[in-house]
Amino acid sequence: MRGTVTDIIPFSVNDGPGIRTSVFLKGCPLHCRWCHNPEAQRPGPQVMVNESRCIRCGACAVCPAGARGAHGELDPARCTGCGVCVSVCPAEACRISGKEMTPEEVMARILPDRPFFRKRGGVTLSGGEPMEQPAFAAALAILLYRENIHVAVETCGYAAPEAYKAILPYTGLFLFDWKITDPEAHREWTGQDNRLIRENLEMLYREGAEIILRCPVIPGVNDTPEHFRGIAALTEKFPRIRQVDLLPYHALGNNKRRQLGLPEDGFMAPDEETASRWQKELQAECRVPVCR
Ligand code: SF4
Ligand code: SF4
Ligand code: SF4
């Protein structure tokens, strides 16, 4: 069995409790317009071009898919991730995002990090959406479980319920996104409404899963009292939800978007005062801790 992995990042402190190694799987059913991991949206490998290294030599115009222009311009829709441009580029300006790996190969990368996990840490399966590769994610979770390594699954919630049921016995914590409470606004900004996401949250809660809600807040999209009340309502309805993580928008995804040949997302990161106000407003509504 092989899965497509965009990255394996050790010493992560923002993807669950303690010190963790985060494994990012490729492919996502949503298209959030503020996406911070745009290289993980498409399921297959694709090229990324570092403009600051590119010397515009045009060698990559040999691209068999016709995805590169005479001076290295990238048409991302045509890229098949074949890697030809990476091999001919004299400036090391191109790289492929998305590597096929077996669960055992991923484990070999993780196990040296184990001493840093101590009691609280472990491994977080993230993406993209890890449930887009359900068999691979479950196989990896089983290997980690057998090694007594804590597994967290960071999910957008939009996947087949069976995928969650398969990985649940090996998962210590779900970092479950709740992005926009209004279903139509959710569809407008992410490409899908949130009905399935709500149902999966309810199912996981009913099955006894440990859950932290992850709530990205994007200025002009979901920084509204209605949405904050919607988050609070979920913590009332599902009182075992441990905490709410408020994730203020940041612009780091734009650097990756440029490398992927995509336009910038057009959002502005909030200043500290605004982010802190959001946290206070949300905390005033919620019975569980609201963390940043
Ligand atoms: S081969 Fe490399 S340096 Fe030359 S145009 Fe393409 S990306 Fe730029
Ligand atoms: S990886 Fe490079 S050569 Fe291959 S299809 Fe994509 S742009 Fe073209
Ligand atoms: S769910 Fe995450 S990875 Fe998928 S599009 Fe939204 S922000 Fe990007």
Side-chain angles (χ1 to χ4, degrees):
M1 180 195 297
R2 300 176 86 78
T4 309
V5 177
T6 53
D7 227 334
I8 299 174
I9 298 186
F11 310 119
S12 166
V13 291
N14 295 316
D15 292 324
I19 296 173
R20 312 187 71 82
T21 295
S22 296
V23 180
F24 294 87
L25 305 188
K26 208 156 167 15
C28 185
L30 301 189
H31 297 284
C32 308
R33 291 205 225 158
W34 58 85
C35 180
H36 54 289
N37 285 333
E39 79 284 13
Q41 284 192 12
R42 272 167 57 170
Q46 65 194 112
V47 78
M48 295 178 80
V49 182
N50 184 338
E51 288 290 323
S52 64
R53 294 190 77 110
C54 174
I55 56 173
R56 304 275 169 205
C57 69
C60 53
V62 295
C63 168
R68 305 301 296 267
H71 304 288
E73 304 86 345
L74 171 63
D75 178 352
R78 291 182 171 219
C79 176
T80 61
C82 70
V84 168
C85 60
V86 179
S87 61
V88 300
C89 176
E92 297 185 359
C94 309
R95 72 179 175 93
I96 296 295
S97 172
K99 183 180 179 188
E100 288 204 349
M101 300 178 81
T102 65
E104 291 76 16
E105 286 168 340
V106 177
M107 283 300 284
R109 290 275 300 275
I110 291 170
L111 287 175
D113 304 337
R114 187 182 192 147
F116 302 100
F117 299 158
R118 302 197 182 151
K119 280 191 179 160
R120 291 189 69 226
V123 170
T124 298
L125 305 185
S126 184
E129 170 49 58
M131 296 295 95
E132 281 285 284
Q133 301 184 54
F136 181 76
L140 192 50
I142 289 169
L143 293 179
L144 290 161
Y145 182 83
R146 285 186 189 146
E147 290 288 339
N148 208 19
I149 294 173
H150 181 268
V151 176
V153 172
E154 188 168 19
T155 179
C156 72
Y158 197 90
E162 295 70 32
Y164 292 107
K165 285 180 183 161
I167 205 167
L168 176 59
Y170 315 103
T171 303
L173 176 65
F174 285 88
L175 302 164
F176 198 102
D177 290 359
W178 187 252
K179 297 175 194 293
I180 304 177
T181 302
D182 179 70
E184 275 315 305
H186 196 285
R187 185 198 297 280
E188 182 190 342
W189 290 102
T190 74
Q192 301 288 351
D193 75 29
N194 57 14
R195 183 185 54 82
L196 177 63
I197 297 169
R198 193 182 277 277
E199 287 171 3
N200 280 327
L201 177 63
E202 191 155 355
M203 181 272 293
L204 283 172
Y205 187 84
R206 211 175 41 240
E207 297 287 327
E210 286 284 314
I211 299 170
I212 288 177
L213 278 190
R214 304 268 278 183
C215 302
V217 180
I218 320 300
V221 175
N222 61 357
D223 55 337
T224 62
E226 294 76 21
H227 177 51
F228 288 2
R229 281 197 291 274
I231 296 168
L234 288 176
T235 65
E236 291 293 332
K237 184 172 183 190
F238 305 121
R240 271 192 303 97
I241 286 179
R242 225 197 255 184
Q243 70 184 48
V244 172
D245 287 347
L246 188 155
L247 312 171
Y249 168 79
H250 60 70
L252 296 179
N254 277 326
N255 184 34
K256 298 185 203 175
R257 291 179 70 84
R258 284 190 290 274
Q259 293 186 44
L260 291 162
L262 300 170
E264 294 192 5
D265 61 24
F267 296 106
M268 287 278 287
D271 57 22
E272 175 52 34
E273 194 183 335
T274 304
S276 178
R277 175 170 53 77
W278 287 342
Q279 186 176 13
K280 279 192 197 128
E281 288 173 0
L282 186 52
Q283 186 63 79
E285 303 278 354
C286 284
R287 48 168 292 284
V288 296
V290 175
C291 305
R292 267 212 288 148

